[in-house]
Amino acid sequence: MELNGTAGKHGLEGDADLEFLLVGGELQKVRSNSWKKNRFYKLQEDCKTMWHESHKTFKSRQTFSIDDIEAVRAGRQSEGLQKHTSASVEDLCFSIVFKGRRKTLDLMAASVEEARRWVSGLQKIITNMANLSKQKTSEHWIFNCMRKADKNKDNKMTLKELKHFLHQINIEVDDTYAEMLFKKCDQSNSGSLEGAEIKHFYDLLTSREEIDVIYAKYAKTGGLMSSTNLLDFLLNEQRESVSLEHAEKLIDKYELDETAKQSKQMTKDGFLMYLHQEEGIIFNPAHNEVFQDMTQPINHYYISSSHNTYLMEDQLKGPSSTEAYIRALMKSCRCVELDCWDGPNGEPVIYHGYTLTSKILFKDVIKALKEYAFKTSEYPVIISLENHCTLEQQVLMAQHMTSILGDALLAHPLGDQMPTHFPSPEELKGRFLVKGKRLNKLDAAFNNNSNVEDDSVSEEDEAADCKENGHKSKKSKIKLAKELSELVIYCKSVHFSGFEHARDCQAFYEMSSFKEGKAVSLADTSATAYIHHNMDKLSRIYPAGSRTDSSNYNPVPLWNAGCQIVALNFQTPSKEMDLNQGLFRANGMSGYVLKPEFQRDPASQFDPKTLQKGPWLTKKMLHLMVISAQQLPKLNKDKCKSIVDPLVRVEIYGVPDDNATKETHYIQNNGFNPMWNENFQFEVRVPELAMLRFVLEDYDTTSYNDLIGQYCLPFTSLQMGYRHVPLLTKRGDLIPSAGLFVHVMVLDAE
């Protein structure tokens, strides 16, 4: 086992584009019209890190990890390249977009072919890294740390280097244990480890005692698991209704030893591999696909929705960016907000009015929507307009949407007669729906009557609320262009005047927006009425204007009340966004999740607070054992001795009676393989509305605990038995080699 092994090449050996990246070359870095400088870039031998030339006076970071890249985009797709380069160099340009808040890297190659090879090579590496199996990823992670610990680069490890390595992988051992481990591996008594000794050391380090116990219990065929033994495990422990054929398929898919595979047997390595794959994780793999009925009216679904989508940071002075729209859409967001104002040169712009946030062109946002709306989900996207423009610029808004979106823009109701209810997500696949004010009833689309008594409408509720926070509070009227009005079909904005008024006087396509305080109050005091309102209408909820830091509110009570468009600040990492990501992880990340039957049935009298008897009460007892965690990242990588003290918190969110939190004790100085073996029980009364969230924190006696990782999923997507839980960063990105290991059992409660 050599220290310079390059797991990143796995499957790409000899690839011409990969070899091109390893040689590297000059690219022009573009920062402004005047700042365009040539810099040398190359992929390092580990195939996981990019090196670049830097001319900064102070020593700065000259590398970045492939793991930190969100996407590589060919052409002039970034705002920087559109602003600082001409259309004639379109095919020479590309951008590297990073996760988190790091600035996008805008680059220009010397030739079209070079640009193509950079983009193609980087995309191959990123895809390859993502496809590396969990086992390979952890091996890769350990190799990286070993190589860093090998200070003198001689492919050997001394005891001192071994101790440094243990620090790198987040495990603290006392000197006697380090010495013992070292002596055990140094069979040649040379004072350093090499070759097979390093392999032995690696095996000792990656052994999983808890897996050994489970494997030994079922490996009844000469010390190995036969397909029948594996089937016993799947039926008895994992509670899966599967056949012997399924067990054989798993062996074929995950067994690494060819001899065992031929004999339809699974070794311990193969078993561990299976437990790390989608069949072995806590989230039901069947829910990775669209598995729900998508032919119900769209108001029967929760819809993943973003507030102030254009913002990258806060709502007072943060940057606005088309990149923010792209990120939201790539996370399956299906309702985006466009805050539209008159811009210079007659072109409408988008920004947060009355603040110092930067401005972006309306037409650039529409182009980004056209390009990215349906890459992650093919289901409809709602364009929520907050319109502050004059008539002339409104006409231009309508023209931009019509010309850029083309047939994808829904500009007429489906069918040839006036509808009485919403179409379904299935019928609206690949379409854009405009939400905004309309001058007349939808019937006008069928009777050629486009007459309007008044060309003014009251402004959006959210705009009026925004003004109340420091500007005139009177709700003003604005003129509305007929061209823009006619693009509003199924999502006509109207003011909410009570549930009775809505039932008696509003058409199904007339929808209201509720500030979070008003919505939470209605959900608390009139939940059943709110649920019935949402059975035939859409409701949009938005954060209070006082949340200038772009913080979020808890979406769960609003989902409990059947609200569909619960808009959150996608740009702000938060527990609330974890819950949103958790809910919409199900149903193939389509951005649409079907509401439970009791939120769709007109006969239902469901109330989340009182929980009177009804079909929603299907009490379950969740028995959860938190067993262990693996390779938790060090939080302070600069501090030599910063080993984490991890604890696990398990949280249930749902109806008020189901909300609960329990946590383990913390384990001192071990992020590599902490073991808890703690049992928890939760009674869940309304499983269809419950969410389960795992949180790993670094315990701190003197201040708030730091987040290590988190994972959230619907209760109905749980798999039973021994399961690995993937861990995500606060921004929702996967931590490649880390994980939590648990045992799950869900039983009917008495």
Side-chain angles (χ1 to χ4, degrees):
M1 179 177 275
E2 291 292 300
L3 290 185
N4 57 6
T6 54
K9 272 190 185 179
H10 185 72
L12 284 179
E13 291 85 351
D15 182 89
D17 289 332
L18 176 68
E19 297 304 325
F20 173 78
L21 295 189
L22 288 165
V23 172
E26 286 226 329
L27 290 166
Q28 192 173 78
K29 184 176 175 180
V30 178
R31 275 206 189 143
S32 68
N33 288 329
S34 55
W35 202 104
K36 294 176 182 172
K37 298 189 178 174
N38 286 353
R39 296 285 184 261
F40 194 87
Y41 289 80
K42 79 187 283 287
L43 181 67
Q44 294 195 312
E45 282 300 318
D46 65 356
C47 293
K48 212 191 163 198
T49 315
M50 285 291 291
W51 178 89
H52 57 91
E53 183 184 358
S54 175
H55 291 190
K56 283 189 180 169
T57 319
F58 299 105
K59 193 178 175 192
S60 65
R61 202 168 39 172
Q62 287 189 260
T63 61
F64 58 84
S65 168
I66 297 293
D67 273 340
D68 293 336
I69 298 176
E70 173 103 18
V72 180
R73 304 208 173 109
R76 295 165 62 248
Q77 291 198 52
S78 74
E79 285 153 20
L81 286 171
Q82 284 180 9
K83 210 171 179 179
H84 307 310
T85 61
S86 71
S88 61
V89 295
E90 175 79 35
D91 295 340
L92 302 179
C93 296
F94 65 96
S95 302
I96 296 175
V97 182
F98 294 98
K99 295 170 184 169
R101 291 189 173 177
R102 186 171 174 171
K103 279 184 183 168
T104 295
L105 185 57
D106 291 327
L107 300 166
M108 199 156 79
S111 71
V112 174
E113 176 58 14
E114 275 185 37
R116 185 201 65 74
R117 294 188 78 172
W118 276 106
V119 172
S120 170
L122 284 168
Q123 285 175 342
K124 279 180 190 172
I125 288 278
I126 292 165
T127 306
N128 199 53
M129 290 296 302
N131 291 344
L132 275 180
S133 72
K134 188 86 179 187
Q135 189 116 348
K136 284 278 191 299
T137 308
S138 75
E139 279 190 26
H140 192 185
W141 183 80
I142 286 172
F143 275 134
N144 259 342
C145 293
M146 279 185 174
R147 202 166 46 254
K148 280 183 198 160
D150 181 20
K151 296 286 191 194
N152 58 1
K153 308 292 179 217
D154 63 354
N155 276 352
K156 297 176 183 176
M157 286 183 87
T158 61
L159 178 58
K160 191 177 173 187
E161 286 174 333
L162 169 66
K163 283 186 191 169
H164 183 70
F165 170 58
L166 291 173
H167 262 302
Q168 284 286 334
I169 59 171
N170 211 357
I171 189 165
E172 189 165 62
V173 288
D174 62 37
D175 287 352
T176 50
Y177 180 69
E179 229 165 295
M180 186 183 78
L181 192 62
F182 190 85
K183 281 181 178 163
K184 200 170 183 179
C185 296
D186 184 19
Q187 286 155 351
S188 58
N189 291 320
S190 63
S192 62
L193 306 184
E194 54 185 310
E197 294 169 341
I198 291 173
K199 171 79 171 84
H200 183 213
F201 176 61
Y202 171 79
D203 288 343
L204 283 177
L205 221 47
T206 55
S207 72
R208 293 274 304 274
E209 186 188 325
E210 68 277 34
I211 304 287
D212 294 353
V213 172
I214 302 162
Y215 183 78
K217 184 179 171 184
Y218 285 91
K220 301 280 178 62
T221 313
L224 295 175
M225 256 190 196
S226 66
S227 51
T228 310
N229 298 154
L230 178 58
L231 180 62
D232 284 346
F233 170 78
L234 296 173
L235 296 173
N236 299 326
E237 299 289 354
Q238 310 297 71
R239 301 294 171 107
E240 293 178 25
S241 308
V242 291
S243 62
L244 185 63
E245 187 187 4
H246 178 76
E248 288 171 353
K249 274 184 185 164
L250 289 178
I251 291 171
D252 200 47
K253 199 170 173 184
Y254 297 123
E255 180 49 57
L256 306 164
D257 184 305
E258 281 304 321
T259 315
K261 193 188 277 191
Q262 294 302 321
S263 314
K264 295 187 178 174
Q265 292 176 329
M266 192 175 246
T267 61
K268 194 163 64 187
D269 282 344
F271 183 63
L272 184 57
M273 179 73 88
Y274 144 73
L275 283 173
H276 275 303
Q277 303 307 313
E278 68 169 13
E279 292 92 342
I281 71 165
I282 194 164
F283 183 78
N284 185 342
H287 294 189
N288 282 323
E289 308 298 323
V290 173
F291 70 96
Q292 294 181 324
D293 175 9
M294 299 303 277
T295 64
Q296 301 277 327
I298 60 166
N299 64 308
H300 284 187
Y301 299 81
Y302 304 121
I303 302 170
S304 181
S305 306
S306 155
H307 172 251
N308 287 355
T309 317
Y310 45 89
L311 291 179
M312 296 289 278
E313 294 171 22
D314 67 56
Q315 316 207 356
L316 292 180
K317 57 188 189 314
S320 305
S321 171
T322 52
E323 181 58 39
Y325 284 93
I326 295 168
R327 288 185 182 191
L329 292 167
M330 295 306 277
K331 285 181 177 166
S332 301
C333 175
R334 299 291 88 187
C335 179
V336 294
E337 187 180 9
L338 282 66
D339 208 341
C340 312
W341 299 79
D342 276 5
N345 311 317
E347 279 290 348
V349 293
I350 289 173
Y351 81 111
H352 198 43
Y354 311 116
T355 67
L356 300 173
T357 57
S358 61
K359 301 173 171 75
I360 44 178
L361 289 176
F362 177 84
K363 65 178 179 187
D364 287 347
V365 170
I366 300 300
K367 283 177 189 167
L369 296 184
K370 166 79 170 168
E371 178 75 21
Y372 289 95
F374 305 111
K375 285 192 185 293
T376 317
S377 166
E378 55 190 345
Y379 292 100
V381 168
I382 298 167
I383 300 173
S384 182
L385 295 180
E386 195 176 294
N387 169 25
H388 307 270
C389 294
T390 54
L391 284 173
E392 296 74 24
Q393 296 210 9
Q394 288 181 37
V395 171
L396 203 51
M397 284 164 61
Q399 285 172 2
H400 284 323
M401 287 195 285
T402 308
S403 63
I404 294 167
L405 302 177
D407 290 343
L409 179 66
L410 192 82
H412 193 277
L414 298 183
D416 51 14
Q417 53 189 7
M418 181 60 199
T420 54
H421 57 80
F422 288 103
S424 68
E426 190 63 36
E427 291 172 292
L428 293 168
K429 266 186 184 173
R431 306 299 291 272
F432 292 95
L433 280 63
V434 177
K435 174 198 162 293
K437 293 287 180 177
R438 187 180 165 97
L439 291 167
N440 51 15
K441 295 273 188 190
L442 191 55
D443 313 52
F446 293 93
N447 56 24
N448 294 322
N449 174 17
S450 58
N451 291 341
V452 290
E453 288 176 19
D454 187 358
D455 63 355
S456 296
V457 290
S458 61
E459 65 185 338
E460 290 281 351
D461 286 351
E462 185 171 350
D465 286 338
C466 220
K467 283 186 188 172
E468 281 172 31
N469 292 309
H471 293 79
K472 56 179 181 176
S473 60
K474 187 172 179 288
K475 202 166 172 189
S476 55
K477 285 203 154 199
I478 62 162
K479 296 264 188 195
L480 182 59
K482 178 171 157 288
E483 293 85 346
L484 192 58
S485 165
E486 287 176 350
L487 294 180
V488 174
I489 307 298
Y490 291 114
C491 301
K492 176 185 174 181
S493 299
V494 297
H495 182 66
F496 178 72
S497 303
F499 294 127
E500 232 174 287
H501 177 271
R503 188 183 64 234
D504 299 339
C505 308
Q506 279 175 225
F508 76 91
Y509 57 84
E510 293 182 313
M511 64 174 288
S512 300
S513 287
F514 302 82
K515 185 160 54 172
E516 65 171 276
K518 172 78 170 166
V520 168
S521 170
L522 288 171
D524 189 46
T525 59
S526 317
T528 308
Y530 212 170
I531 289 164
H532 278 263
H533 173 81
N534 290 321
M535 284 181 192
D536 58 11
K537 295 188 179 63
L538 282 167
S539 290
R540 175 178 173 269
I541 321 300
Y542 58 91
S546 55
R547 292 182 182 274
T548 52
D549 57 352
S550 290
S551 60
N552 279 310
Y553 57 98
N554 181 3
V556 176
L558 288 318
W559 291 330
N560 289 347
C563 298
Q564 304 87 351
I565 302 175
V566 181
L568 296 177
N569 290 308
F570 267 56
Q571 72 275 21
T572 308
S574 55
K575 173 178 71 181
E576 296 82 10
M577 271 308 296
D578 297 347
L579 291 166
N580 196 77
Q581 190 174 14
L583 176 68
F584 292 104
R585 192 181 306 290
N587 208 27
M589 279 190 68
S590 62
Y592 284 83
V593 168
L594 186 63
K595 295 196 279 184
E597 174 70 25
F598 55 80
Q599 288 191 339
R600 297 181 277 125
D601 176 9
S604 169
Q605 287 303 305
F606 171 65
D607 183 327
K609 271 175 84 176
T610 59
L611 288 187
Q612 69 279 39
K613 279 194 174 175
W616 45 85
L617 269 185
T618 49
K619 285 187 191 174
K620 302 286 181 189
M621 191 60 78
L622 169 63
H623 297 266
L624 184 78
M625 185 184 193
V626 176
I627 302 172
S628 62
Q630 296 75 46
Q631 294 176 31
L632 303 177
K634 281 174 73 167
L635 296 176
N636 189 342
K637 290 182 177 151
D638 302 327
K639 259 202 207 158
C640 195
K641 302 213 166 175
S642 63
I643 308 291
V644 298
D645 302 331
L647 64 83
V648 180
R649 193 165 60 254
V650 184
E651 303 168 342
I652 305 269
Y653 294 87
V655 299
D657 280 1
D658 285 345
N659 293 335
T661 296
K662 297 191 177 174
E663 73 180 36
T664 66
H665 66 285
Y666 70 91
I667 290 177
Q668 218 163 357
N669 293 337
N670 186 353
F672 186 67
N673 58 0
M675 188 95 76
W676 290 276
N677 289 324
E678 285 196 42
N679 287 295
F680 298 131
Q681 284 186 29
F682 298 91
E683 189 178 14
V684 181
R685 295 152 188 83
V686 186
E688 287 185 90
L689 291 177
M691 307 276 293
L692 183 62
R693 180 172 179 250
F694 294 91
V695 185
L696 269 94
E697 288 181 344
D698 180 13
Y699 176 77
D700 196 316
T701 47
T702 56
S703 64
Y704 286 116
N705 294 348
D706 289 322
L707 177 77
I708 298 171
Q710 54 80 24
Y711 188 79
C712 188
L713 74 164
F715 189 88
T716 50
S717 295
L718 278 174
Q719 290 213 93
M720 287 199 268
Y722 290 101
R723 302 292 174 182
H724 277 107
V725 181
L727 290 177
L728 310 177
T729 64
K730 65 177 183 179
R731 292 190 171 276
D733 298 316
L734 186 70
I735 304 170
S737 44
L740 182 65
F741 190 53
V742 298
H743 185 268
V744 180
M745 190 54 61
V746 179
L747 301 170
D748 290 334
E750 289 306 317

